[in-house]
Amino acid sequence: IIEDDSDSIKNSLKTVFETMILAVIISMIIIVLFFGDLKASLIVGTSIPLSILTALIAMWAMGYSLNMVTMSALVLGVGMMVDNSIVVLEACFRAMDKYSTIGLKTRQTAALESIKTVGESVLGSTLTTCVVFLPLGFMKGLMGQFFGPLGFTIVFCMLSSLISAVSIVPLCFVMYKPKENNHAPVHNTIQRMQVWYRRIIDKFLNHKALVLIISIALFISSLGLLKYIK
């Protein structure tokens, strides 16, 4: 044997797999910190394994293998898998605020209303992400062999997370009755940030022309930095 790269390839795959597991764990920790409710966190967290499993099925149907490219795509998709579920669950909580009595029927109505409210927005945001990565799947030649599976894998993850968000999340909201926690670990920090943001945006809205001019100037000046990028 003159040269053997199998050990380095296996180590690289192991590193990517460990990164994916770590990404799932960190994502769940952040979800718990923001929601402060175990049921709500687990409902959102179900999007990750469901999306990964669905993506794996689609990858098998496309004839892809688990390699560094496809596993890296799964790692990239982990953070985006929970976005739709968070939006839908938050919409469910907002819809519940409209009702004084809390019961099974009320939760069903709130779940349906939340999908009517944010369904199109969630669909639009998911499709915009998909159309960015989809062209990678149709690249030709050697680069297409590398980036094709990456693009399609991320698209599979996003589409499966969308289906999970509009079906599993409302169902779990009705069945397991999660509660909105105003005493979550980061609740006070977010409230202070919102107060600060309202003050800033109020000043911005009172000086619209100046903000627009500064934004255009920053954009033009940033283009001038292109020549310094090697």
Side-chain angles (χ1 to χ4, degrees):
I1 299 174
I2 299 175
E3 185 177 352
D4 185 6
D5 292 329
S6 61
D7 289 335
S8 62
I9 294 173
K10 289 178 180 178
N11 289 333
S12 298
L13 283 171
K14 181 181 178 182
T15 302
V16 175
F17 181 75
E18 291 174 350
T19 303
M20 184 171 66
I21 299 299
L22 190 61
V24 173
I25 295 173
I26 294 175
S27 298
M28 286 302 303
I29 292 174
I30 293 176
I31 291 170
V32 172
L33 289 176
F34 274 86
F35 276 105
D37 181 75
L38 185 60
K39 288 183 180 179
S41 302
L42 290 176
I43 289 173
V44 173
T46 55
S47 300
I48 299 176
L50 284 174
S51 300
I52 291 177
L53 288 172
T54 308
L56 291 176
I57 294 172
M59 288 166 58
W60 170 80
M62 292 285 290
Y64 295 149
S65 62
L66 277 177
N67 49 57
M68 289 183 62
V69 175
T70 54
M71 290 183 69
S72 298
L74 291 175
V75 173
L76 291 173
V78 165
M80 298 184 286
M81 290 174 187
V82 297
D83 293 349
N84 295 331
S85 298
I86 290 175
V87 172
V88 172
L89 186 60
E90 189 67 25
C92 291
F93 286 139
R94 297 286 73 78
M96 282 294 293
D97 293 339
K98 298 181 180 179
Y99 304 103
S100 57
T101 59
I102 299 178
L104 182 62
K105 190 66 176 178
T106 305
R107 285 187 174 272
Q108 291 178 355
T109 306
L112 292 173
E113 187 173 328
S114 66
I115 295 299
K116 293 178 181 178
T117 303
V118 300
E120 292 183 1
S121 301
V122 170
L123 176 62
S125 63
T126 302
L127 292 180
T128 52
T129 304
C130 290
V131 297
V132 171
F133 289 100
L134 196 58
L136 295 176
F138 295 102
M139 293 180 66
K140 302 297 183 181
L142 182 62
M143 296 304 294
Q145 294 182 27
F146 278 104
F147 290 105
L150 184 140
F152 276 117
T153 301
I154 294 180
V155 170
F156 295 152
C157 291
M158 294 306 300
L159 292 178
S160 56
S161 69
L162 172 66
I163 297 172
S164 175
V166 298
S167 58
I168 303 299
V169 171
L171 177 65
C172 291
F173 175 78
V174 175
M175 291 181 60
Y176 300 110
K177 304 177 181 63
K179 297 180 180 179
E180 189 174 16
N181 187 2
N182 292 327
H183 302 285
V186 297
H187 180 74
N188 293 331
T189 303
I190 297 299
Q191 290 297 318
R192 287 193 292 268
M193 291 175 61
Q194 288 180 351
V195 171
W196 176 81
Y197 171 74
R198 290 189 186 101
R199 293 174 181 171
I200 297 296
I201 200 66
D202 184 53
K203 295 180 180 179
F204 282 176
L205 293 176
N206 291 328
H207 302 85
K208 294 184 284 291
L210 180 61
V211 173
L212 184 61
I213 293 172
I214 293 175
S215 301
I216 295 174
L218 287 173
F219 173 70
I220 295 174
S221 61
S222 65
L223 294 178
L225 298 175
L226 287 174
K227 62 182 180 180
Y228 298 104
I229 300 177
K230 296 181 179 180

